[in-house]
Every structure is written in C-alpha cells, then in structure tokens.
Amino acid sequence: MMQPILWLTLAAIHAMPALAFFRPATLTSLYRLQPDNPLFLLMHHRAGLFVAVFAACIWAAFVPEGRKLAVLVVGISMVSFLALYWQAGSPPALRKIANVDLAGLPVLAGVAWLAFRQ
C-alpha cells in the first residue's frame, strides 16, 4: 500500500508543470515567461513532457509492471534538471523548482529501491 502513496506523491510534484500544457498561462506564473517570448513555445512543449512524467507516476501507482520504466522516466527528469541547475550556478529564479525536485529525490529513491529490489 505504500508504493501507490509514494507514486502519487511524485505525481503531485509534477502536476503543476504538467498543468501548464493545458493552461499555458501557468507558464507565466511559474517561469515568468510571456506568450510573445520564443521560449514560451519551448516551455509549453516541456509541459507536454511533464504530462508524460505525471502519467507515468499515476500509471506506476496502480500498475506494478510499469514501475521500473516509471522510475527511469521520473529519475531522468528530476536528476537531469537538478544537475543542469547546479551546473548553471543555481539560478535563484529556479530555486523553488530545484527545491521541490530535491525534496522528491528521497521518494524517488524509495520507489526505485522497491521497483528494482528483486
């Protein structure tokens, strides 16, 4: 019963960025991007990828066979962002996002251990 809760926690972490795919105005509040900025389209696409990460978490919460793949998808998303964030000198504008991902790493480690322990 613990795994679904952990996966739903990871889904919650990715819900807001995924929501931006369906409500692009969220990109302005999350990232301070205006619709006329060329990066807006790129971030809107990125939000679509977060829909996939969110869906992987929901799927893994209820379908044990999908958990190993979901660990990889979520892990690549979270760890790559944190690595790039630190490599870029930890930009203050992205600190909140980095802190949320950092807080989610123990949850990710837990589901990874449970998924691959066999």
Side-chain angles (χ1 to χ4, degrees), residues 7-24 26-27 29-31 46-58 74 77-78 97 100-101:
W7 281 109
L8 293 174
T9 300
L10 289 170
I13 288 172
H14 294 91
M16 186 63 75
L19 177 64
F21 182 73
F22 302 102
R23 188 171 181 272
T26 306
L27 294 170
S29 63
L30 284 177
Y31 308 113
R46 180 178 179 265
L49 296 175
F50 273 111
V51 171
V53 173
F54 177 82
C57 292
I58 298 296
V74 178
S77 175
M78 293 174 73
I97 298 164
V100 171
D101 273 3

Side-chain angles (χ1 to χ4, degrees), residues 43-74:
M43 294 302 286
H44 196 191
H45 174 261
R46 180 178 179 265
L49 296 175
F50 273 111
V51 171
V53 173
F54 177 82
C57 292
I58 298 296
W59 179 45
F62 301 105
V63 180
E65 296 80 15
R67 290 179 178 155
K68 289 179 181 176
L69 179 58
V71 165
L72 294 175
V73 169
V74 178

Side-chain angles (χ1 to χ4, degrees), residues 28 33-38 40-41:
T28 301
L33 283 176
Q34 299 304 317
D36 61 343
N37 186 324
F40 193 90
L41 175 61

